[in-house]
Amino acid sequence: MSSNRLRKAISATLLCGGASSPTPSERRELNEALNESMPSFQSLLAFTPPSDSARAELDEIEIPDALNSDEDIEMVLDMSDELHLNVTDCVRLIQSAHQEWASIGGAPQDILKHAIRLWFKERREILEDLYTLLRTAVLDQVEPEIQSDLVKFLENIFSNGLRQRVLSLLKELNREEPADLVGPHSELCVLDSSGVLVRREDVLSLEKLILGHCLCLSTLVVGSTQDDIKEIFLSLKDCLSYLGHQTTRHQVAVSLLFSIVIAFVSGSPNASMVTLEDSFKNEFHEIVMATGCDPNVEGFLGCIRLAWAAHMIVTQDLDHLDSCLELVFQKNVFQFISDEILGTAAYQNHDDEDMSYIYNIYFGKLITCLVSHPLSLQRVRQSKDMAITSQGPETVPLPFLSLLGLVGKIYEKNQELLSGNYVLWTFVNMVGEGSLNFQTRVAFLNMLSSLASSQESTSKVFELLRWSDEFETFFAHLSSYHARFLQLAEEEAKELASYLNILQKVVEHGNLLELDSFAYVEPLFKLLLSGAPPYVKGALLGAIKAFVHVSPVLKDEIWEKLEEYGKSGYMLRVYDMQFELNEVEAMIQNYPSTISFLDLLNTLLLEERDLDCLKQSCVAIFFWFIYNDVFRLFPQREYTDPFQKWQLVVACLQHFHTILRLYDISEEGINSYLVNSQHSTVIPIVEFLEDFTSGNTVFQNIMCILLPGVNELISERTNQLYGKLLEKAVQLSMEIIVLVLEKDLLAVYQWRLLEVMLSLDFNQILALLEYVGYYFEPQIQLCSIKIMSILSSRVDGFVELLLRSNAASSLIGKYAACLELRSEVCKSLEDASEPAILIMQLLEDNISQPAPNITHFLLHFDLESPTGQIVLQPKFPHSCLKVILEILEKLSKPKVNMSLHESGFKLLYKLCSDAKTHDSMMKLLRGKEYLFFAKHLDTIGVCPLPEEHSLCITSLHQRTWLLKLFAVELYVGDVNGSTDPEACDSILEHLFGHANVENTKSKVLELLEIVQSGLRDTSMDVNANLDMFKAWSDIIEISALRRISSLGQRTEVLYQIIVAALTTYPACNDKMREGLCRVALTCMIKLRDERFLFPDDDLLKHILKIFEHRSSESLIVRQYGLLLSFFQYCQNALDPDIEIDPPDPDRLMNQERADALAEFALANFSILRKEAQPILDLVISDASQGSEKKKTMSLYVLDALLIVDDEKYFLQKLQTTGFLRNIIESLSDQEGGYSRELMQQARTLEAKLALLLRISHTYGTIGAQVLYSMDILQHCASCRAMSIFGMTTFTPMLRLVFSLLVLIDRYDILEVKNNIAREVANFVKCHNSIFDDLLWEEGDEEPRELARSIVSKVWRFDSAFPCQEAVAASPSSSPQKYSLFFICCIVVMIFYFLLDLLHCIFYSV
């Protein structure tokens, strides 16, 4: 079987949709995959059948442990019987089915059906791979080097018998023989790729068609031999014997026919024309000249005769040419080709445009050969003479007339084949020479009309007719036609219609500079007034329609003519249009006039954007004619040709659709309609909506179109000539329903909404929803998805209704199949006009809706139990969920499916974030079947960004959602306690592992480099980088705070993250810088527990360097927070009171570690001194002039600097700059300034007091003297902040004053001692009420003890000192008792402040 490796390589290189050229590695992978798959291609679908004793054969092979149960053994045997397949392959398929059901579970019968589905899927895939390789090699859809490699590979496998194997398979499939197909007990239906039962015959028919296409394409790659031609001819005859009316069989027959035509006419570009031996020529000529009675066999044999004649012309071997051509014209093979090949639904509705294009090319080659050689051209002239001399109508089409019709059909849709085709245009000129009778003239004009379908060919046709004065004569007689139409013969009417068709083509495609458009339009309208037959009126209206696009002035004149004739009582008045439709066309059951009129009106409407009152009145009249007379009655009318029935329906629906799309409704329009019950004289939008939502004419007929369902549409689309028109009618009907659903909400109080009308019969809703399974036209699927989205939000209990219906499983399968198919097309999936993207949007939008919602339904969660009591579980093997997981597992066609992949990751993230589905989804993603997290981290997570701008942005979005999934697994699982610890540890190991391996980076650092690479691209979307960075930073913070303790080398990891974050900092914008600071701060705080890590000196340098980028307050606050955290980390590591190691007999090692710590402290201080001036200037500036937050943080930074300032370096800086005096003086300026942001101002005051206390503590008596010299006691005494902040700020002030008491004992001079004591006493007096409360009332222990200590120290120095009684009653307090306590309080205060800051930063994200 074709390997997954080959399919992936084909997808990347051959089906990339032209997004970009394949890379050298992709091309190398393709070549390796092709070589690996060569045996599978050479033995195409050749499998060993079961032995006589399958059970004995089963005993001889090794069975996997997972399939050792008795049920599995029976499944293998049943499958062998059903598929007529050996047990070895059956074991493999059963095992694959088990693996896909592993996380869900299933009954044995379900697994067996799924295994059979895998079998047919494998067969289909290898055939599709072969077809893709052939088509690419033939149509030059890739670079020359890749095409050359493909051609060599295909030549190799076809030269080694693959063509014979294909022919053998076709024969087996045609006869439905058991070999390689079915067993004696096979069922009629099998599961298709969507999990829906389909007929086995349809599956095999598709295999036959692919084989036929492969055979045909192979003749263009590798030349056929005469033995090949003989075998193909016999296969064709064999196929024709089973032909019947089956469309696929007819298509297979056509592919076999062209395999012979190509071999005879041109052969392979890489080989010369096939060389035939004389014996083969004689034998083959006898075969093709033999006639039979079976019309199908005789018709296809006639095509072979034409190809055989073309071969003789090309090779100039003319011995049998004359007899062959005689039989070709005698049997009129041209009419067979026109009717039974080109005119069949099998050909016209063929969806493989590449094959249709090849067929048309070789039909054109046959015609060119026929009219290029003198002998064959003489035969053509003879048939022309016969047609001219024939009298009266012929019961059998004449060969010449059939030839002209065939030429028109071949080239009408393949205009590129006319360019430079001198031979064909010479033939066209020859046909027009001389006098022609009525039949040949009409046939000639019809051929010219078909040929004139491009600007170049139309120019040639126009020149031909003008050169022969045909056009001038025609238009000169227009007025006479009008005057004598009642006596006009049928021949003249047909000729006139042919000229009008040419005129339409000339106007649509030609150069109008030489046409007097106004002179032509007037006579055309006049002719509409005469008694012309309907087909002439249809041609007239078609010609008028062509002039609509010529100019706006001419368009307005056509509007005026319509209105004029509507008022004048002429042919276009409503009554007369009704008469024409109901009395003329209905009698002959042919409606060309009405169809052309509707096309004209729709064309005019589509060209208008703002209708004036005159045009609106005209449109309103025509609307009611279309509504009442055309569309309302179309199901009851009789039709000679059902094709015209659907032409009428499509024209009506197009009119309604245009009205709804271009013109809106308003409340005024609704009110006007309710007051006036008569038909509106303006465009009747409101009337239309009311009719539709009331279930009247339009609604009923549209539902009649839609209710047959998607399977009936597929059948009609495939097997009927009108199939594509019916498809268009269904598409327009679905679009109209969507438009009505979008517009009817405005009229909710006037009539019931459309969903209410649909809900009266839920089968109507199901019919609309199941069109998502119509894979021929994505627009129909798109409408069905939109209807699902609207109804699911507006119909109560919608999901419950779906579950109770019999179509629930089918609908789930169709959505999954649609998603899977659209992900495989060679088209960029970029916007909401793509069904796959709309399905993903539908699933995403409904996740948060109350359960059960449409997302749960389409993903096939278990909805059978009460949803409020269970956790939803996925249970269906083929659903949108499984398809999404497979898409993300393969990540195929990344260049075209980028948006789809992004939507898939986003949906999984939202499912994992939802409480109802989190546990089950996480369990599924962690499972062995997917290994989702590890696999995708190694693939898309850290792979380089694409070079293309749009792909790069989408790739960043993919990684963003993937990282968010990681964060959910780590965070939510930890909070709920439901996550598997091993799974989290595995994720952490993948993210942070390898940090201690030399020359290896952890994944988190590689992910940060991805963000950096995006930043280096100046054209990159900043938001895409920012989103990925936020997701990355969330993972770091969650891991650092909650999970990183499980990593063995966590300290090294944390350090590397900090360094990487700070290194990335300069290249980022402000938002990302804030995030980097937050990440570094988190890791730094976590490092405080890792006391014995000795980072190099560069860490502090990196931290100081980030202060060069200061653009916002929040960023500056985070910078200060990081710096503070680093200082605290260093302080913890250097604190001499903390035991360095547990008791260790080896004291030498502890001493060495202590020496290293001291060296580290000295190095840090040296860096600080070196960088001191710029940093200190910034800090002082912020502390003096910044906002309250800046002041607070900068003051704490100064406090931290003073801790290590053993040399009084920073103290001197604060003194010389005057900053310290300003801080002290500001204490007395606090009064009255606290009307706003009181809490932040209180923190600023606390920070000031902490800084002053730090000076007193760090520098001892010297520090106290410095503070006292700046009158600190006086400023503390005059501070009135206590009246606002209370004890929050007074306690720190008490600590500060208490620390200054040391000066009283320090000085021996009594006067100085007394002065200091009196200033302290003055401080007490100024805050007398607070001291009274502290000394007499119960309260916090620390401020009471501080107050008592202060008062007891200074009361004796002042006889008028207050609180003496309280002091006397208080026990004496020792300053030494509290000095260490005060310092610890300051440290604790700073620590908790940082924790509070980190908490705010983390949860603000």
Side-chain angles (χ1 to χ4, degrees), residues 857-920:
F857 174 77
L858 293 177
L859 298 181
H860 214 299
F861 285 95
D862 187 355
L863 304 178
E864 296 177 359
S865 301
T867 56
Q869 303 175 9
I870 66 167
V871 176
L872 300 177
Q873 297 284 347
K875 69 172 188 176
F876 194 64
H878 193 81
S879 64
C880 287
L881 178 58
K882 183 168 182 60
V883 171
I884 291 168
L885 290 172
E886 289 177 351
I887 289 173
L888 297 182
E889 183 179 10
K890 298 175 183 176
L891 293 174
S892 61
K893 301 180 188 175
K895 298 171 185 176
V896 294
N897 283 344
M898 272 285 190
S899 294
L900 182 62
H901 298 162
E902 176 190 341
S903 299
F905 286 114
K906 184 178 181 181
L907 179 68
L908 291 184
Y909 163 72
K910 293 199 170 185
L911 285 170
C912 292
S913 302
D914 186 77
K916 298 181 289 296
T917 55
H918 168 266
D919 288 345
S920 58

Side-chain angles (χ1 to χ4, degrees), residues 1362-1403:
C1363 312
Q1364 293 188 27
E1365 297 180 1
V1367 173
S1370 302
S1372 60
S1373 300
S1374 172
Q1376 290 77 9
K1377 176 180 177 181
Y1378 295 100
S1379 61
L1380 182 59
F1381 173 72
F1382 297 154
I1383 300 306
C1384 291
C1385 288
I1386 294 173
V1387 174
V1388 170
M1389 179 180 65
I1390 296 175
F1391 174 73
Y1392 279 103
F1393 173 79
L1394 286 176
L1395 281 184
D1396 182 53
L1397 175 64
L1398 179 62
H1399 181 272
C1400 294
I1401 293 172
F1402 180 75
Y1403 285 100

Side-chain angles (χ1 to χ4, degrees), residues 94-156:
I94 293 290
Q95 184 180 12
S96 298
H98 262 299
Q99 290 174 350
E100 293 198 12
W101 283 71
S103 61
I104 302 166
Q109 194 62 27
D110 294 328
I111 295 176
L112 177 59
K113 290 181 179 179
H114 189 55
I116 295 174
R117 182 183 80 88
L118 292 177
W119 164 240
F120 283 104
K121 183 180 179 182
E122 286 184 1
R123 291 171 61 94
R124 173 83 58 82
E125 285 178 350
I126 190 171
L127 294 179
E128 289 176 344
D129 289 345
L130 178 60
Y131 171 68
T132 301
L133 296 174
L134 286 164
R135 185 188 61 189
T136 305
V138 169
L139 298 178
D140 302 337
Q141 296 176 329
V142 292
E143 296 178 353
E145 294 179 358
I146 297 179
Q147 187 189 21
S148 176
D149 293 340
L150 289 181
V151 169
K152 291 178 182 178
F153 173 77
L154 293 169
E155 287 177 344
N156 188 3

Side-chain angles (χ1 to χ4, degrees), residues 49-70:
S51 62
D52 295 336
S53 177
R55 187 172 294 276
E57 182 184 359
L58 191 61
D59 294 336
E60 296 177 0
I61 65 173
E62 182 179 354
I63 301 178
D65 295 337
L67 300 184
N68 273 333
S69 68
D70 293 338

Side-chain angles (χ1 to χ4, degrees), residues 1141-1158:
D1141 268 340
D1144 191 334
D1146 190 355
R1147 303 301 299 172
L1148 179 60
M1149 183 174 293
N1150 280 342
Q1151 184 60 44
E1152 290 177 354
R1153 192 178 297 277
D1155 293 341
L1157 287 170

Side-chain angles (χ1 to χ4, degrees), residues 1119-1190:
Q1119 291 172 342
Y1120 281 142
L1122 178 59
L1123 185 58
L1124 278 172
S1125 182
F1126 176 78
F1127 287 152
Q1128 289 191 337
Y1129 162 68
C1130 296
Q1131 182 183 5
N1132 287 344
L1134 299 175
D1135 192 341
D1137 294 333
I1138 299 177
E1139 187 175 4
I1140 296 178
D1141 268 340
D1144 191 334
D1146 190 355
R1147 303 301 299 172
L1148 179 60
M1149 183 174 293
N1150 280 342
Q1151 184 60 44
E1152 290 177 354
R1153 192 178 297 277
D1155 293 341
L1157 287 170
E1159 183 181 351
F1160 175 51
L1162 181 61
N1164 280 333
F1165 184 74
S1166 300
I1167 295 173
L1168 285 173
R1169 289 196 58 170
K1170 184 177 181 181
E1171 306 289 339
Q1173 194 58 50
I1175 293 298
L1176 199 59
D1177 290 343
L1178 288 175
V1179 175
I1180 291 175
S1181 175
D1182 288 337
S1184 304
Q1185 304 172 6
S1187 64
E1188 294 298 328
K1189 287 185 178 179
K1190 285 185 183 180

